[in-house]
Structure formats: structure tokens, C-alpha cells
Amino acid sequence: MAQRTAGGNAAFHNFHNDYAHIADPNERRRLALAEIDKAPFGWYHIRAIVVAGIGFFTDAYDIFAIGLVTTMLGVVYWHTAASPSKPGYIDSSADTAIKVATSGGTVIGQVGFGILADIVGRKRMYGLELIIIIFATLAQALSSNSPSMSIVGVIIFWRVIMGIGIGGDYPLSSIITSEFATTKWRGAMMGSVFAMQGIGQFAAGIIALIAVSGFKDSLSTAKSVGVCDGNCAESVDKMWRIIIGFGAVPGCIALYYRLTIPETPRFTFDVARDPEKAGEDTKAYMQGKHEGHPDEITRVQGIASAERSLTIPKGSWRDFMRHYMQWKNGKVLLGTAGSWFFLDVAFYGLSLNNAVILQAIGYSSGANVYETFYNTAVGNIIIVCAGAIPGYWVTVATVDTIGRKPIQFMGFAMLTILFCIIGFAYSSLGTKGLLALYVVAQFFFNFGPNATTFIVPGECFPTRYRSTSHGLSAASGKVGSIVAQVVIGPLRVRGATATNASPWLNHVMEIYALFMLCGIGTTLLIPETKRKTLEELAGEVPGTPNYDPAEGGIGGKGSNEVSEKEMGAEGDRNV
């Protein structure tokens, strides 16, 4: 019989010993997971959201801030540009390379951390990705050029490293939130974590605004970036380092809580096959304590019993292929990965209109360098607040009532229509019309597939492959982002002239409409996950539409037979 334990932190609670006397590991698993699934929404859920969400806050801050920072880099390092007509402006190829570097690193992190979290555990990997982000962020802020290395090469290197950390945060934060969440509000919890991206983007604009205001006097001395030298250039050099460096602060605050969370009971039951430890960690999470500490002798006996009796299949390369070679399982991975790919292609595409939108609202330029940077920061804050942040939180409010699949389908459908209007009627829209469509599109990206493509992969796969599958899905999205930036985005300047810098922009919008239409198709492949337990979605619960005898599972019969007496009702167990 297991002993009761203490431990944990204030963010992740710990459920268990009510059923420590139950010998059958399958029944203990069922009861422990039911305890998590049925738990009333409480402060420990909110703390978990905040700890996981700070990672996405940091991710979004770092990615969004670079769009503001590259303009400042142009002032500092391209003031004596080779092209005399463009002093103070960063080279377009360098600008693209810096931004794509993060996406490249993110793909590596999503796949790598996703696989490792399914092998060594969520706990062992969680926090490591944040350490990488913090270290790489500070390294960027301290970077400079030298005779042997350009500033572009140094920043690209550190942004690839930072991207690996950012990529790791996607599967880990999603899976940990999902596996600790109550079934009733799981979508809202995961959506709240993802919605911190909007807050991170907003914060990047605010920090940029504060930095610009702090150097107002020196920035006001230059009429344009081309003549910003001396004190003006020195101030801009300090500004971009402050903006980038601040991205490490939230991560430092959350790091302790990430490093001290208990392992998710689902991983400990299904992958580590350690029912005693899983039960103690369940209780620890719900009590806001550190990981549980079961009696070691009882724990060893429990592991031996679990090896003989647990009906959940063990994860392996052979089992992975068997699982996903079945169309009913493979189509779900295709649906989540395909939807994320199509989404991110067009999600980047909408940002191609940012310069036009800033001009439409009067925040694209200024009488001097101070006003230019000030207006750019304010304009970007307005853009984020106009559609993105409301869209995120409408999803949080409705995802557990409307459902994931209807929201994603509706979002892709609306975006298909909006991109068609922007593309085919671009010349007749005018700046005000484009502004209105831009805001509506931002709203339906976030009250739509941008949120649901993050939520669904964290729910619909079995525990032993959940993190890997989420990582693969997220990585396909970042590949789509790279395709948009490197392949499709440059098409907008095809045939550019002195009077029309982006003659093909309307056709590019039409291409993105096609990607949104494809997203509707892949949405049809995913299941509705609303108000269903993770075990039911994985096909482990007998009597449900998804049940697959090969998955064994709660109350199921796998390779080992489990008697009805052993798998009796919870009430009969006198818990």
C-alpha cells in the first residue's frame, strides 16, 4: 500500500492517496485520471495557466519584437549602407534572414522536444526550453559586429537557438496543460495559455514605446534615419538591446515553477508505467505541492505489477507505425498537421499588409526619428488590439461550448472569403476598406484556426505519442510560415516599379485564399474533442464511438485480461 506524501509548487497541484489501497494498476489509473478530469476549476488551474502561458508570452514577445528591432538595426549598422539611396535601412535579404532564422529553429525545437517529452517525460524537458530562450535572448541583446563576423550572422545564430527553445514550448505547454486540465474546461485552459501570445505582442509594443520615449531628446535631433548618427545612433543602439533583452524577464519569473512541476500522471501511468508515483503526483498537483514521494519498496512492487497488468500499449517505433498506419488514426495527424501548415502560410501573408495598414491609420512615418519610431510602436499596438487580442479571448470563452471543430471550420471559411475579397478587389478597396478587412481577418484568425490548431493536437492523440504528434503538427505550421516568407511573400514585388513597390500583392492574397480553402478540407479530418476525456479521444474507453480494443485502456482488455471485478465501478471501491 502506498504512503501519502507532500511536495510540489503553487502552480501545479497533486491528486492521489484516496485510492492507494487499490492493487489493480488499471483501476488505480482510471480513478486517478478521473480525479483530474472531474476536478472543479480552481486556483491551481489558474496558476498552471499562468506558468504555461508565460512561455507563450515570451515566445510572442520575442517574435513580434524583432519586427520593430530590425528597423533600429538598420539605423545602427546600415547607416553607411552601400546603396547611397538607402542609408539607415536594413537590407531586405538580411531582414528576411533574421526573421526566418527563428522559424527554422522553432521547427527543430518542436520536433525534438516533442519526441523527447514522450521518451524521457514532460517534467524533465519542461523548463529546459525556457532556459534556452532566456540564454539566447540575453545573448542577442549583447551581440555586436566585429571584423570577422557581421551582426546579421551573430543575430541569426542566436535566433536559431532561441527558436529551438520557442519550438519546445509548443508541445510541452500544450500537453502539460491538457494532461492536468479538467475535462469540462480543458479547451478554455489551453486557449488561455495560447492567448498569452496576444499579450506578449502587446507588451513588445509597450516596451518599444517606453524605450523610444526614454530617448526622445536625442532621437528628435535627426529628421530621418538616414541622418541619425552620433547621439541619435547611440540611443537607437541602446533601444533595440533593451527591447530584446526585456524578453528574458518573464521567463526568469516562470522558470522556478516550470522546473519544479510534478510529472503528469498520464505520462507516469502510461509511459513510465509507475502507478505508485503517478498516484502521488496526482495528489501533489491538486494540493499545489511538489512531486509526490511514494514508498520506494511499494513503488518497485507497483512497477512490476504494472508491467504484467497495465493494458495500455507501450510506446515504440513499431507501435507508432502500427498506430498511424491505420487511416482512422493517421487522418487525425494529417488533419492537425495540414491545418496548421495551411494556417501559418496565410497567417504570415496577412502581415504583408502591415505597412499599408499603418499608413491607413496614420502611423507609418513622422517628422523626425523619434516620431517615426513612436508611431511605429503605437501603430503596432493598435493592430494587435484591433483584432488579434479580442479573437484570442472570444475563443477562450466559447471553445468549450461551441467546440473546436466548428470554430476552426468557421474561421477557415471566413478567411477564405476575406482573402478572396482582398485579392480580387484590392485595387478598389482603398485604405479604409483594407483596414476594415484586415481587422476582421485578424479576429477570425484567432477566433478560428490559429487557436484551435494549437488546442486539438494536445487532446486527440494517445498519451504515449501526444507530445510527438503535437510537435509534428506545430512543426508543419512553421514550415508553412517559412514557405510564406521565402517562396510566396517575395512574389508581391514581382514587376515592381518606382510607383508601385508591390504590384503582385493582390495575387499573393488570392494564393492565400486557396490555402484557407485547403484548410477547410483538413479540418474535416479532425475529431471534435469538446467535453471528452483524453482517454476517450485516444480510443481507450469501452462503449464510446472511438473505442479501439488495441488501445487497451480504462476498463478495456488489452494483451492482458483484466477481470470485471478488478475493473468494477468507482462506487464499489469505497474510495
Side-chain angles (χ1 to χ4, degrees):
M1 182 179 296
Q3 297 179 354
R4 300 178 183 272
T5 61
N9 63 52
F12 289 87
H13 181 89
N14 196 344
F15 315 54
H16 170 64
N17 298 332
D18 293 338
Y19 36 81
H21 62 285
I22 297 174
D24 175 38
N26 295 287
E27 180 68 357
R28 294 188 64 185
R29 174 179 181 269
R30 182 180 73 82
L31 295 175
L33 300 186
E35 191 85 10
I36 296 173
D37 291 336
K38 297 175 183 178
F41 190 80
W43 281 107
Y44 52 88
H45 289 120
I46 296 174
R47 290 191 293 265
I49 290 169
V50 172
V51 172
I54 284 180
F56 274 90
F57 175 98
T58 304
D59 300 347
Y61 179 98
D62 289 332
I63 293 173
F64 190 79
I66 199 64
L68 304 172
V69 165
T70 51
T71 304
M72 299 177 184
L73 290 175
V75 174
V76 179
Y77 295 101
W78 275 264
H79 191 262
T80 55
S83 173
S85 62
K86 283 286 186 179
Y89 290 91
I90 188 172
D91 182 73
S92 60
S93 59
D95 181 58
T96 301
I98 289 172
K99 293 174 180 176
V100 172
T102 309
S103 296
T106 302
V107 172
I108 298 170
Q110 286 165 335
V111 176
F113 275 80
I115 293 172
L116 287 171
D118 276 338
I119 295 174
V120 303
R122 286 75 159 124
K123 174 181 172 60
R124 291 186 180 180
M125 301 306 298
Y126 208 40
L128 176 59
E129 85 293 348
L130 203 54
I131 292 173
I132 294 173
I133 293 172
I134 293 169
F135 182 77
T137 299
L138 293 175
Q140 287 176 74
L142 298 174
S143 296
S144 187
N145 62 351
S146 71
S148 62
M149 285 186 287
S150 70
I151 186 65
V152 175
V154 175
I155 290 181
I156 286 175
F157 174 81
W158 287 118
R159 289 198 73 81
V160 169
I161 302 300
M162 186 186 73
I164 293 173
I166 290 174
D169 204 40
Y170 275 76
L172 286 169
S173 289
S174 173
I175 300 311
I176 287 174
T177 305
S178 172
E179 293 183 351
F180 275 123
T182 175
T183 300
K184 185 177 182 180
W185 301 114
R186 186 176 61 237
M189 288 181 64
M190 297 177 72
S192 297
V193 170
F194 194 67
M196 293 300 288
Q197 283 194 334
I199 308 301
Q201 294 169 358
F202 178 79
I206 292 295
I207 296 301
L209 189 61
I210 293 171
V212 170
S213 299
F215 293 98
K216 178 180 179 179
D217 292 342
S218 55
L219 296 178
S220 298
T221 60
K223 296 297 182 182
S224 69
V225 294
V227 294
C228 180
D229 54 11
N231 288 337
C232 178
E234 182 180 341
S235 297
V236 175
D237 191 39
K238 293 176 182 177
M239 282 162 46
W240 78 261
R241 297 178 191 278
I242 291 170
I243 295 169
I244 290 291
F246 184 83
V249 175
C252 292
I253 296 172
L255 184 59
Y256 165 78
Y257 294 99
R258 290 199 170 194
L259 293 174
T260 58
I261 67 165
E263 182 58 84
T264 70
R266 285 181 163 92
F267 176 87
T268 311
F269 270 122
D270 295 359
V271 182
R273 307 177 89 77
D274 187 348
E276 299 294 330
K277 186 69 166 70
E280 296 296 333
D281 284 344
T282 302
K283 185 64 67 177
Y285 166 68
M286 293 191 71
Q287 293 175 348
K289 298 177 181 178
H290 198 277
E291 60 182 310
H293 299 283
D295 177 75
E296 288 301 321
I297 295 177
T298 306
R299 182 180 180 185
V300 171
Q301 293 171 344
I303 293 173
S305 175
E307 287 294 330
R308 296 190 303 270
S309 304
L310 271 180
T311 61
I312 299 300
K314 280 187 173 182
S316 65
W317 173 249
R318 182 177 180 181
D319 180 68
F320 181 88
M321 295 303 296
R322 176 202 64 80
H323 182 78
Y324 284 114
M325 286 299 288
Q326 300 178 64
W327 173 243
K328 66 178 181 179
N329 299 322
K331 73 174 183 179
V332 177
L333 182 58
L334 177 63
T336 57
S339 296
W340 214 330
F341 174 83
F342 294 132
L343 162 76
D344 270 18
V345 170
F347 189 67
Y348 169 76
L350 192 64
S351 67
L352 296 178
N353 294 289
N354 279 6
V356 179
I357 298 303
L358 289 174
Q359 183 178 4
I361 60 179
Y363 286 94
S364 60
S365 59
N368 53 47
V369 172
Y370 165 73
E371 290 188 7
T372 299
F373 285 141
Y374 181 90
N375 288 341
T376 300
V378 172
N380 279 281
I381 292 172
I382 293 172
I383 287 174
V384 172
C385 292
I389 292 178
Y392 280 120
W393 292 103
V394 171
T395 298
V396 172
T398 60
V399 71
D400 284 311
T401 52
I402 296 175
R404 288 67 152 158
K405 193 170 182 177
I407 290 176
Q408 182 165 312
F409 187 93
M410 174 271 300
F412 273 128
M414 289 298 299
L415 290 166
T416 301
I417 296 170
L418 290 169
F419 274 110
C420 282
I421 295 173
I422 294 173
F424 290 102
Y426 192 85
S427 58
S428 58
L429 283 175
T431 54
K432 292 183 179 179
L434 184 61
L435 173 61
L437 290 172
Y438 179 93
V439 171
V440 175
Q442 281 280 14
F443 178 82
F444 280 108
F445 264 119
N446 296 296
F447 178 45
N450 194 36
T452 55
T453 51
F454 171 79
I455 295 172
V456 174
E459 302 176 305
C460 62
F461 300 108
T463 300
R464 62 192 185 279
Y465 303 130
R466 187 171 292 129
S467 183
T468 299
S469 301
H470 193 286
L472 292 172
S473 300
S476 70
K478 283 303 174 186
V479 170
S481 174
I482 294 170
V483 168
Q485 294 177 74
V486 176
V487 180
I488 301 177
L491 290 176
R492 76 186 190 278
V493 298
R494 183 178 180 181
T497 63
T499 57
N500 188 355
S502 303
W504 254 60
L505 185 55
N506 60 327
H507 299 305
V508 170
M509 295 299 108
E510 294 162 10
I511 293 172
Y512 290 136
L514 177 60
F515 278 95
M516 294 296 91
L517 184 62
C518 293
I520 295 175
T522 53
T523 298
L524 299 176
L525 300 176
I526 67 172
E528 176 52 64
T529 60
K530 178 185 71 173
R531 302 282 166 89
K532 296 179 181 179
T533 68
L534 299 180
E535 286 64 44
E536 180 181 349
L537 291 166
E540 299 172 7
V541 182
T544 59
N546 295 336
Y547 179 58
D548 180 359
E551 293 298 319
I554 298 178
K557 306 262 186 194
S559 57
N560 299 297
E561 291 296 316
V562 183
S563 70
E564 291 186 8
K565 180 179 178 181
E566 289 174 320
M567 299 303 293
E570 182 175 344
D572 296 335
R573 292 296 178 178
N574 191 30
V575 178

